[in-house]
Amino acid sequence: MTSYTPTPARAAASSKAKPTKPPKLPSLTGLRFFAALMVFFFHSSLMDSPIPPNNPINPFADHGIADAYETLFSKAGYLGVSFFFVLSGFVLAWAAKPGERTTAFLRRRLMKIFPNHLVVAAVSLVLFAGAAISSVGDWLPNLLLIHTFFPQPGINLSISPPSWSLGSELLFYMLFPLLIVPIRKIAEKRLWTWSGLMILGMVGVQLITQFLIPATPKSAITPISDMQFWFGYLFPPGRVFEFVLGILLARIVASGRWPRAIGMRVSLVLTVIGYGAALLLPFQYGFVVATIIPVSALVCSVAAADVAGRETRLKGRVMQFLGEVSFGFYLVQGVTIFYLRSLLGESTYSVPAAILLILGFLAASLLGGWLLYRYVEMPAMRRWSRSRKQAPAAPTASTPLAAPATPLSASASDDDNQSQDLVLTAPRS
């Protein structure tokens, strides 16, 4: 008979002793770098840049290799989107503190995304985006992170195209204090049912995209219309299902209901299968639907490994560093890939030269991500993420959602960040 080891949440709830801190989730921090890397390869393989005049990013002169590179990573960006949106809900729920003031929560979350966003937006405006701006309506929605509520590509992909996903993250943060209360009340035996309903909601969004949203005129950068791409991929309310699923999955793992048979290796196999399905299904079903179950399995299996204290290769110092800079690594790609590639025009290169160029973009993106993390994100979090008058909260018992007395961060460091939500956001398209 297999013995049952209580999860930290169950142990704290069943014990009258002073609750212990639940384990951190460092493997999720390491894992997010690989998701960000998939985003990088997606962006570097594009045949159509999101920056007008939409020249190719893909640097290979050999058409066969260029097509293979684009095809191989054509769904990698969409996989990254789902991963980070699910992850955001998961870690916010895992770190949630009962009774925390909404203002304190929102202050930390806004300080997590806005400083990096504004710095990258300013750089983009100086380098290339300013030339395309004709009115305040072209740039103000982007700065406020409400640009993805507009269906016009000139607005929802304005200034720095990768920033589109921050609009969804901002909506998630606004909704979280309202969502967490009823989700905590869901009976454990019904968590899987609610998770299934969230997946059905994602399917519903794409059915509406396919059959009810106008299919013309065609987008300049995708095989569907601009309106379909906006509604099925960019529109923030349609992405809330992934975020809520992440919250539900956090409860499933915390309550010990994640199947032990679905470990990290099985999850990786499922991811390969789901990715293959995304390549074969109609375009819009590759956004979320084809990979959402594998994404969920990855997040939960890696988190369960940390909870159980199992060693993973994602906990090492290098992986932790790469995970911590991954938000900035993603966000600067509008400059380090799209803009720098535009300086080369439509030039293409031999295989060795093209690989070196891609590696150069990777190095520039990692450097930019580290600079943002070291000189923008961390100083802003330390200085403004919480009120200096705010006293430490008194210890309270954990809830079944694994809400600890001390906020749980997925990062092995970043104590100043408190309830870090692994906010690295996902790709443009």
Side-chain angles (χ1 to χ4, degrees):
M1 179 182 296
T2 303
S3 60
Y4 173 69
T5 302
T7 65
R10 285 183 179 273
S14 61
S15 174
K16 294 182 180 180
K18 182 178 179 180
T20 59
K21 295 181 182 180
K24 295 181 180 182
L25 306 177
S27 295
L28 283 180
T29 297
L31 183 62
R32 66 177 177 166
F33 170 72
F34 288 105
L37 189 62
M38 293 292 282
V39 174
F40 170 85
F41 285 126
F42 167 78
H43 282 154
S44 64
S45 71
L46 292 174
M47 290 297 188
D48 300 294
S49 170
I51 298 176
N54 310 119
N55 290 330
I57 298 293
N58 195 312
F60 291 97
D62 186 301
H63 293 295
I65 294 177
D67 290 342
Y69 184 46
E70 182 188 37
T71 299
L72 178 62
F73 292 104
S74 61
K75 304 300 179 182
Y78 307 133
L79 176 67
V81 170
S82 286
F83 178 88
F84 288 111
F85 285 176
V86 171
L87 187 66
S88 186
F90 187 100
V91 183
L92 279 181
W94 192 268
K97 296 183 293 183
E100 181 183 31
R101 292 179 301 168
T102 298
T103 53
F105 167 80
L106 291 177
R107 178 173 180 156
R108 287 200 311 276
R109 303 281 44 87
L110 296 181
M111 284 299 104
K112 177 65 180 174
I113 60 174
F114 266 101
N116 276 356
H117 165 59
L118 294 176
V119 168
V120 173
V123 173
S124 299
L125 284 168
V126 170
L127 292 178
F128 62 90
I133 289 176
S134 59
S135 69
V136 67
D138 293 334
W139 59 266
L140 185 58
N142 181 287
L143 294 188
L144 298 176
L145 293 181
I146 59 173
H147 54 309
T148 42
F149 283 90
F150 295 81
Q152 300 92 335
I155 298 177
N156 58 46
L157 293 176
S158 62
I159 302 184
S160 177
S163 69
W164 76 264
S165 57
L166 297 185
S168 292
E169 288 287 352
L170 182 60
L171 177 63
F172 299 162
Y173 297 158
M174 297 298 153
L175 292 178
F176 182 76
L178 302 176
L179 292 170
I180 191 63
V181 175
I183 291 177
R184 278 194 175 121
K185 296 178 181 179
I186 297 174
E188 289 181 0
K189 64 182 180 181
R190 295 176 180 168
L191 290 172
W192 285 107
T193 299
W194 278 97
S195 297
L197 290 174
M198 294 304 104
I199 294 175
L200 287 177
M202 300 172 209
V203 175
V205 169
Q206 300 311 325
L207 288 173
I208 293 172
T209 300
Q210 182 177 9
F211 296 108
L212 299 181
I213 304 299
T216 56
K218 294 294 183 181
S219 166
I221 57 176
T222 71
I224 57 178
S225 71
D226 285 328
M227 188 67 72
Q228 286 177 315
F229 183 68
W230 167 72
F231 185 84
Y233 188 65
L234 303 176
F235 190 42
R239 310 313 296 257
V240 171
F241 292 108
E242 291 150 275
F243 179 69
V244 174
L245 177 61
I247 299 174
L248 293 165
L249 293 174
R251 281 209 57 195
I252 287 172
V253 173
S255 63
R257 290 176 175 265
W258 181 253
R260 297 181 183 181
I262 306 180
M264 294 173 60
R265 292 182 180 178
V266 173
S267 298
L268 286 173
V269 172
L270 290 175
T271 301
V272 172
I273 295 173
Y275 194 85
L279 293 173
L280 298 174
L281 290 171
F283 183 76
Q284 59 267 31
Y285 294 94
F287 292 157
V288 179
V289 174
T291 56
I292 189 59
I293 291 177
V295 160
S296 301
L298 269 177
V299 171
C300 290
S301 62
V302 170
D306 279 345
V307 170
R310 294 191 293 271
E311 286 300 317
T312 73
R313 295 183 180 180
L314 299 169
K315 294 181 180 180
R317 181 176 298 180
V318 172
M319 291 310 307
Q320 292 302 293
F321 167 77
L322 291 173
E324 287 166 353
V325 304
S326 55
F327 178 27
F329 169 57
Y330 158 74
L331 203 56
V332 300
Q333 290 179 24
V335 174
T336 58
I337 299 178
F338 302 150
Y339 173 67
L340 292 181
R341 181 67 175 95
S342 72
L343 298 180
L344 303 174
E346 297 188 39
S347 300
T348 54
Y349 305 90
S350 65
V351 172
I355 292 174
L356 286 176
L357 183 61
I358 292 170
L359 291 176
F361 289 155
L362 177 60
S365 299
L366 285 172
L367 175 61
W370 175 76
L371 290 172
L372 282 176
Y373 176 75
R374 177 65 177 82
Y375 295 105
V376 179
E377 180 180 334
M378 290 306 297
M381 290 297 292
R382 291 193 179 104
R383 175 63 180 85
W384 294 300
S385 67
R386 55 182 173 178
S387 171
R388 295 191 175 186
K389 297 180 181 179
Q390 182 179 337
T396 58
S398 297
T399 72
L401 190 54
T406 300
L408 176 60
S409 169
S411 174
S413 58
D414 289 4
D415 291 336
D416 291 330
N417 284 9
Q418 297 194 27
S419 55
Q420 178 85 293
D421 70 337
L422 305 178
V423 69
L424 180 138
T425 52
R428 173 202 59 82
S429 58

